[in-house]
């Protein structure tokens, strides 16, 4: 593109700088597609002997979510956003456990957590 301007009774044609039509933008550690979906987390809590743990308390602090396992040791946390979460699991008579869960795809996620008895 050219620009013509007037300079003391003389017309001067001058070349304007050329710019690219495209822009390259870089975002570090950002996955927009991964942030769009939600997933259900199905957790099964058992004792070290394999028995289901009824009334185990589950907490995901960063997401402000809490739940309690049913008689079968099962908990379903609905519509969890993509990301990484620490699940804290507590049940009387057992050593508390923290597990890291990564939600990286849509659809139900299945996790089994086994707690160790603290009674000798």
């Amino acid at each position: 593109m050219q620009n013509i301007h007037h300079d003391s009774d003389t017309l001067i044609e001058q070349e304007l700088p050329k710019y690219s039509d495209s822009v390259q933008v870089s975002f570090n550690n950002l996955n927009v597609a991964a942030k769009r979906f939600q997933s259900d987390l199905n957790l099964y809590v058992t004792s070290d002997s394999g028995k289901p743990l009824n009334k185990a308390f589950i907490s995901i602090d960063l997401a402000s979510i809490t739940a309690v396992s049913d008689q079968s040791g099962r908990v379903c946390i609905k519509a969890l956003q993509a990301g990484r979460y620490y699940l804290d699991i507590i049940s009387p008579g057992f050593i508390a456990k923290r597990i890291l869960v990564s939600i990286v795809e849509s659809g139900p996620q299945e996790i089994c957590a086994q707690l160790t008895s603290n009674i000798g």
Side-chain angles (χ1 to χ4, degrees):
M1 179 177 232
Q2 295 181 350
N3 184 29
I4 300 176
H5 75 131
H6 189 272
D7 184 19
S8 59
D9 295 333
T10 307
L11 288 177
I12 299 173
E13 184 177 19
Q14 112 187 77
E15 192 72 27
L16 293 177
K18 294 184 181 183
Y19 298 99
S20 172
D21 291 333
S22 64
V23 176
Q24 183 176 359
V25 180
S26 175
F27 296 101
N28 292 333
N29 299 322
L30 179 64
N31 186 345
V32 175
K35 301 291 182 194
R36 292 183 183 160
F37 67 80
Q38 297 177 342
S39 183
D40 293 343
L41 179 64
N42 297 308
L43 180 64
Y44 181 57
V45 184
T46 66
S47 67
D48 48 357
S49 64
K51 293 175 71 176
L53 288 180
N54 181 25
K55 298 182 182 176
F57 181 77
I58 292 87
S59 172
I60 306 175
D61 288 337
L62 292 179
S64 298
I65 295 173
T66 58
V68 176
S69 64
D70 65 12
Q71 291 179 346
S72 302
R74 296 197 181 276
V75 174
C76 181
I77 299 170
K78 299 278 188 187
L80 195 58
Q81 296 289 325
R84 295 174 62 166
Y85 302 94
Y86 282 104
L87 272 65
D88 293 313
I89 306 168
I90 301 168
S91 186
F94 294 88
I95 298 170
K97 188 169 201 166
R98 173 175 269 197
I99 56 176
L100 178 64
V101 175
S102 293
I103 305 295
V104 294
E105 60 187 42
S106 59
Q109 307 291 314
E110 302 281 333
I111 296 176
C112 294
Q114 189 176 65
L115 299 186
T116 304
S117 175
N118 64 5
I119 300 171

